[in-house]
PDB file of all heavy atoms in Angstrom:
ATOM      1  N   PRO A 117     -37.122  16.762  55.044  1.00  0.00           N
ATOM      2  CA  PRO A 117     -38.249  16.417  54.113  1.00  0.00           C
ATOM      3  C   PRO A 117     -39.559  16.582  54.786  1.00  0.00           C
ATOM      4  O   PRO A 117     -39.630  16.848  56.024  1.00  0.00           O
ATOM      5  CB  PRO A 117     -37.939  14.993  53.851  1.00  0.00           C
ATOM      6  CG  PRO A 117     -37.353  14.441  55.076  1.00  0.00           C
ATOM      7  CD  PRO A 117     -36.488  15.566  55.630  1.00  0.00           C
ATOM      8  N   GLU A 118     -40.587  16.447  54.031  1.00  0.00           N
ATOM      9  CA  GLU A 118     -41.946  16.405  54.609  1.00  0.00           C
ATOM     10  C   GLU A 118     -42.064  15.297  55.641  1.00  0.00           C
ATOM     11  O   GLU A 118     -41.422  14.298  55.531  1.00  0.00           O
ATOM     12  CB  GLU A 118     -42.958  16.117  53.393  1.00  0.00           C
ATOM     13  CG  GLU A 118     -44.404  16.025  53.825  1.00  0.00           C
ATOM     14  CD  GLU A 118     -45.293  15.657  52.661  1.00  0.00           C
ATOM     15  OE1 GLU A 118     -44.754  15.616  51.544  1.00  0.00           O
ATOM     16  OE2 GLU A 118     -46.439  15.381  52.888  1.00  0.00           O
ATOM     17  N   LEU A 119     -42.882  15.472  56.642  1.00  0.00           N
ATOM     18  CA  LEU A 119     -42.926  14.514  57.766  1.00  0.00           C
ATOM     19  C   LEU A 119     -43.836  13.299  57.286  1.00  0.00           C
ATOM     20  O   LEU A 119     -45.054  13.505  57.121  1.00  0.00           O
ATOM     21  CB  LEU A 119     -43.459  15.121  59.024  1.00  0.00           C
ATOM     22  CG  LEU A 119     -43.110  14.473  60.314  1.00  0.00           C
ATOM     23  CD1 LEU A 119     -43.281  15.410  61.461  1.00  0.00           C
ATOM     24  CD2 LEU A 119     -43.896  13.221  60.584  1.00  0.00           C
ATOM     25  N   LYS A 120     -43.235  12.232  57.059  1.00  0.00           N
ATOM     26  CA  LYS A 120     -43.933  11.014  56.601  1.00  0.00           C
ATOM     27  C   LYS A 120     -43.330   9.818  57.351  1.00  0.00           C
ATOM     28  O   LYS A 120     -42.216   9.795  57.780  1.00  0.00           O
ATOM     29  CB  LYS A 120     -43.719  10.738  55.142  1.00  0.00           C
ATOM     30  CG  LYS A 120     -44.453  11.745  54.186  1.00  0.00           C
ATOM     31  CD  LYS A 120     -44.334  11.201  52.742  1.00  0.00           C
ATOM     32  CE  LYS A 120     -45.037  12.076  51.783  1.00  0.00           C
ATOM     33  NZ  LYS A 120     -44.932  11.611  50.356  1.00  0.00           N
ATOM     34  N   ARG A 121     -44.270   8.878  57.590  1.00  0.00           N
ATOM     35  CA  ARG A 121     -43.794   7.648  58.180  1.00  0.00           C
ATOM     36  C   ARG A 121     -43.158   6.713  57.187  1.00  0.00           C
ATOM     37  O   ARG A 121     -43.417   6.722  56.024  1.00  0.00           O
ATOM     38  CB  ARG A 121     -45.046   6.875  58.861  1.00  0.00           C
ATOM     39  CG  ARG A 121     -45.470   7.422  60.240  1.00  0.00           C
ATOM     40  CD  ARG A 121     -46.642   6.672  60.716  1.00  0.00           C
ATOM     41  NE  ARG A 121     -46.246   5.280  60.899  1.00  0.00           N
ATOM     42  CZ  ARG A 121     -45.575   4.778  61.934  1.00  0.00           C
ATOM     43  NH1 ARG A 121     -45.144   5.640  62.891  1.00  0.00           N
ATOM     44  NH2 ARG A 121     -45.257   3.487  62.006  1.00  0.00           N
ATOM     45  N   GLY A 122     -42.362   5.783  57.629  1.00  0.00           N
ATOM     46  CA  GLY A 122     -41.836   4.727  56.793  1.00  0.00           C
ATOM     47  C   GLY A 122     -40.400   5.000  56.344  1.00  0.00           C
ATOM     48  O   GLY A 122     -40.023   6.106  56.015  1.00  0.00           O
ATOM     49  N   ASN A 123     -39.589   3.900  56.344  1.00  0.00           N
ATOM     50  CA  ASN A 123     -38.222   4.019  55.959  1.00  0.00           C
ATOM     51  C   ASN A 123     -38.038   4.086  54.434  1.00  0.00           C
ATOM     52  O   ASN A 123     -36.969   4.425  53.989  1.00  0.00           O
ATOM     53  CB  ASN A 123     -37.463   2.765  56.459  1.00  0.00           C
ATOM     54  CG  ASN A 123     -37.424   2.729  57.998  1.00  0.00           C
ATOM     55  OD1 ASN A 123     -37.602   3.737  58.667  1.00  0.00           O
ATOM     56  ND2 ASN A 123     -37.191   1.545  58.556  1.00  0.00           N
ATOM     57  N   LYS A 124     -39.097   3.932  53.721  1.00  0.00           N
ATOM     58  CA  LYS A 124     -39.010   3.999  52.221  1.00  0.00           C
ATOM     59  C   LYS A 124     -39.637   5.268  51.713  1.00  0.00           C
ATOM     60  O   LYS A 124     -39.901   5.308  50.515  1.00  0.00           O
ATOM     61  CB  LYS A 124     -39.741   2.735  51.636  1.00  0.00           C
ATOM     62  CG  LYS A 124     -39.018   1.418  51.967  1.00  0.00           C
ATOM     63  CD  LYS A 124     -37.746   1.319  51.171  1.00  0.00           C
ATOM     64  CE  LYS A 124     -37.079  -0.082  51.346  1.00  0.00           C
ATOM     65  NZ  LYS A 124     -35.831  -0.199  50.637  1.00  0.00           N
ATOM     66  N   ALA A 125     -39.842   6.244  52.589  1.00  0.00           N
ATOM     67  CA  ALA A 125     -40.398   7.504  52.099  1.00  0.00           C
ATOM     68  C   ALA A 125     -39.545   8.292  51.225  1.00  0.00           C
ATOM     69  O   ALA A 125     -39.937   8.763  50.213  1.00  0.00           O
ATOM     70  CB  ALA A 125     -40.909   8.319  53.326  1.00  0.00           C
ATOM     71  N   PHE A 126     -38.221   8.468  51.686  1.00  0.00           N
ATOM     72  CA  PHE A 126     -37.322   9.256  50.959  1.00  0.00           C
ATOM     73  C   PHE A 126     -36.017   8.611  50.688  1.00  0.00           C
ATOM     74  O   PHE A 126     -35.333   8.002  51.673  1.00  0.00           O
ATOM     75  CB  PHE A 126     -37.058  10.534  51.762  1.00  0.00           C
ATOM     76  CG  PHE A 126     -38.337  11.358  51.956  1.00  0.00           C
ATOM     77  CD1 PHE A 126     -38.935  11.252  53.152  1.00  0.00           C
ATOM     78  CD2 PHE A 126     -38.841  12.228  51.027  1.00  0.00           C
ATOM     79  CE1 PHE A 126     -40.113  12.020  53.532  1.00  0.00           C
ATOM     80  CE2 PHE A 126     -40.025  12.918  51.302  1.00  0.00           C
ATOM     81  CZ  PHE A 126     -40.607  12.787  52.529  1.00  0.00           C
ATOM     82  N   GLY A 127     -35.540   8.550  49.445  1.00  0.00           N
ATOM     83  CA  GLY A 127     -34.275   7.839  49.179  1.00  0.00           C
ATOM     84  C   GLY A 127     -33.794   8.269  47.798  1.00  0.00           C
ATOM     85  O   GLY A 127     -34.593   8.604  46.923  1.00  0.00           O
ATOM     86  N   CYS A 128     -32.434   8.289  47.659  1.00  0.00           N
ATOM     87  CA  CYS A 128     -31.862   8.585  46.294  1.00  0.00           C
ATOM     88  C   CYS A 128     -30.472   7.879  46.260  1.00  0.00           C
ATOM     89  O   CYS A 128     -29.982   7.410  47.314  1.00  0.00           O
ATOM     90  CB  CYS A 128     -31.767  10.006  46.104  1.00  0.00           C
ATOM     91  SG  CYS A 128     -30.699  10.929  47.238  1.00  0.00           S
ATOM     92  N   LEU A 129     -29.927   7.873  45.110  1.00  0.00           N
ATOM     93  CA  LEU A 129     -28.586   7.337  44.877  1.00  0.00           C
ATOM     94  C   LEU A 129     -27.625   8.571  44.646  1.00  0.00           C
ATOM     95  O   LEU A 129     -27.976   9.471  43.950  1.00  0.00           O
ATOM     96  CB  LEU A 129     -28.504   6.460  43.709  1.00  0.00           C
ATOM     97  CG  LEU A 129     -29.327   5.057  43.913  1.00  0.00           C
ATOM     98  CD1 LEU A 129     -29.309   4.365  42.532  1.00  0.00           C
ATOM     99  CD2 LEU A 129     -28.685   4.275  44.941  1.00  0.00           C
ATOM    100  N   VAL A 130     -26.446   8.531  45.335  1.00  0.00           N
ATOM    101  CA  VAL A 130     -25.425   9.440  44.914  1.00  0.00           C
ATOM    102  C   VAL A 130     -24.300   8.688  44.247  1.00  0.00           C
ATOM    103  O   VAL A 130     -23.845   7.567  44.722  1.00  0.00           O
ATOM    104  CB  VAL A 130     -24.832  10.086  46.225  1.00  0.00           C
ATOM    105  CG1 VAL A 130     -23.649  10.998  45.924  1.00  0.00           C
ATOM    106  CG2 VAL A 130     -25.915  10.882  46.982  1.00  0.00           C
ATOM    107  N   ALA A 131     -23.919   9.102  43.067  1.00  0.00           N
ATOM    108  CA  ALA A 131     -22.914   8.359  42.237  1.00  0.00           C
ATOM    109  C   ALA A 131     -21.775   9.295  41.778  1.00  0.00           C
ATOM    110  O   ALA A 131     -21.962  10.532  41.757  1.00  0.00           O
ATOM    111  CB  ALA A 131     -23.596   7.742  41.023  1.00  0.00           C
ATOM    112  N   PHE A 132     -20.687   8.743  41.434  1.00  0.00           N
ATOM    113  CA  PHE A 132     -19.611   9.491  40.878  1.00  0.00           C
ATOM    114  C   PHE A 132     -19.988  10.049  39.462  1.00  0.00           C
ATOM    115  O   PHE A 132     -20.423   9.203  38.637  1.00  0.00           O
ATOM    116  CB  PHE A 132     -18.345   8.671  40.852  1.00  0.00           C
ATOM    117  CG  PHE A 132     -17.766   8.339  42.216  1.00  0.00           C
ATOM    118  CD1 PHE A 132     -17.893   7.028  42.701  1.00  0.00           C
ATOM    119  CD2 PHE A 132     -17.200   9.351  43.011  1.00  0.00           C
ATOM    120  CE1 PHE A 132     -17.399   6.777  43.971  1.00  0.00           C
ATOM    121  CE2 PHE A 132     -16.733   9.017  44.292  1.00  0.00           C
ATOM    122  CZ  PHE A 132     -16.810   7.769  44.807  1.00  0.00           C
ATOM    123  N   ALA A 133     -19.728  11.265  39.187  1.00  0.00           N
ATOM    124  CA  ALA A 133     -20.158  11.879  37.956  1.00  0.00           C
ATOM    125  C   ALA A 133     -18.973  11.727  36.915  1.00  0.00           C
ATOM    126  O   ALA A 133     -18.221  12.694  36.790  1.00  0.00           O
ATOM    127  CB  ALA A 133     -20.529  13.321  38.230  1.00  0.00           C
ATOM    128  N   GLN A 134     -18.830  10.642  36.350  1.00  0.00           N
ATOM    129  CA  GLN A 134     -17.741  10.344  35.455  1.00  0.00           C
ATOM    130  C   GLN A 134     -17.709  11.325  34.263  1.00  0.00           C
ATOM    131  O   GLN A 134     -16.630  11.633  33.795  1.00  0.00           O
ATOM    132  CB  GLN A 134     -17.855   8.906  34.871  1.00  0.00           C
ATOM    133  CG  GLN A 134     -17.817   7.818  35.947  1.00  0.00           C
ATOM    134  CD  GLN A 134     -16.521   7.704  36.680  1.00  0.00           C
ATOM    135  OE1 GLN A 134     -16.411   7.386  37.818  1.00  0.00           O
ATOM    136  NE2 GLN A 134     -15.393   8.009  35.974  1.00  0.00           N
ATOM    137  N   ALA A 135     -18.868  11.839  33.846  1.00  0.00           N
ATOM    138  CA  ALA A 135     -18.915  12.702  32.643  1.00  0.00           C
ATOM    139  C   ALA A 135     -18.626  14.088  32.978  1.00  0.00           C
ATOM    140  O   ALA A 135     -18.386  14.948  32.031  1.00  0.00           O
ATOM    141  CB  ALA A 135     -20.320  12.574  32.006  1.00  0.00           C
ATOM    142  N   ASN A 136     -18.571  14.469  34.265  1.00  0.00           N
ATOM    143  CA  ASN A 136     -18.277  15.848  34.670  1.00  0.00           C
ATOM    144  C   ASN A 136     -16.771  16.154  34.411  1.00  0.00           C
ATOM    145  O   ASN A 136     -15.862  15.360  34.771  1.00  0.00           O
ATOM    146  CB  ASN A 136     -18.524  15.951  36.162  1.00  0.00           C
ATOM    147  CG  ASN A 136     -18.506  17.433  36.551  1.00  0.00           C
ATOM    148  OD1 ASN A 136     -17.594  18.254  36.264  1.00  0.00           O
ATOM    149  ND2 ASN A 136     -19.488  17.857  37.393  1.00  0.00           N
TER     150      ASN A 136
END
Side-chain angles (χ1 to χ4, degrees):
E118 178 186 353
L119 206 161
K120 287 186 177 182
R121 283 182 56 82
N123 296 339
K124 293 290 186 179
F126 302 96
C128 64
L129 294 171
V130 176
F132 293 108
Q134 301 292 147
N136 191 313

